[in-house]
Amino acid sequence: MMKFQRRKETELSKFTIVPGPVPIGESVWLDVNEMEPGSYRLAIVNSAGNDVQISECLITRQTKTILLPTDLLPAGPYFVQLTNLLSGKIFREILVVP
């Protein structure tokens, strides 16, 4: 697993997680309406700073939401982190799995 790395530019929130907290065994939606179009690294990071789920996604002007499966995550707090692959900007939101 990859360790969490700090970057120069970080924005706390440009997207929201719906619903929050996530019901057990269900997926959540990321509302990315306010995100700048581009390629992103999507990571779920645990409280120890380790990536527990990683994927890449493309956000276009038409992209409104991204489905994020959470059914394999153990209970606990996580960060959902979107990193713009071109600019390196990182956007984070907290996800709680009860």
Side-chain angles (χ1 to χ4, degrees), residues 49-88:
N50 298 314
D51 293 341
V52 294
Q53 192 171 314
I54 302 170
S55 62
E56 285 191 19
C57 60
L58 178 64
I59 296 177
T60 67
R61 295 198 188 286
Q62 291 77 29
T63 307
K64 304 292 183 215
T65 58
I66 297 172
L67 180 65
L68 182 62
T70 60
D71 53 333
L72 299 178
L73 293 176
Y78 298 89
F79 285 104
V80 175
Q81 182 171 295
L82 283 167
T83 305
N84 185 305
L85 295 177
L86 185 59
S87 70

Side-chain angles (χ1 to χ4, degrees), residues 5-76:
Q5 296 176 359
R6 291 186 185 264
R7 304 266 177 127
K8 287 183 182 177
E9 280 194 66
T10 301
E11 302 242 356
L12 290 179
S13 185
K14 278 267 191 174
F15 65 94
T16 55
I17 299 173
V18 181
V22 60
I24 294 173
E26 292 190 19
S27 297
V28 295
W29 291 94
L30 304 182
D31 179 348
V32 294
N33 233 0
E34 309 233 350
M35 298 291 294
E36 165 181 328
S39 294
Y40 287 83
R41 177 180 182 270
L42 171 59
I44 298 178
V45 182
N46 66 16
S47 58
N50 298 314
D51 293 341
V52 294
Q53 192 171 314
I54 302 170
S55 62
E56 285 191 19
C57 60
L58 178 64
I59 296 177
T60 67
R61 295 198 188 286
Q62 291 77 29
T63 307
K64 304 292 183 215
T65 58
I66 297 172
L67 180 65
L68 182 62
T70 60
D71 53 333
L72 299 178
L73 293 176

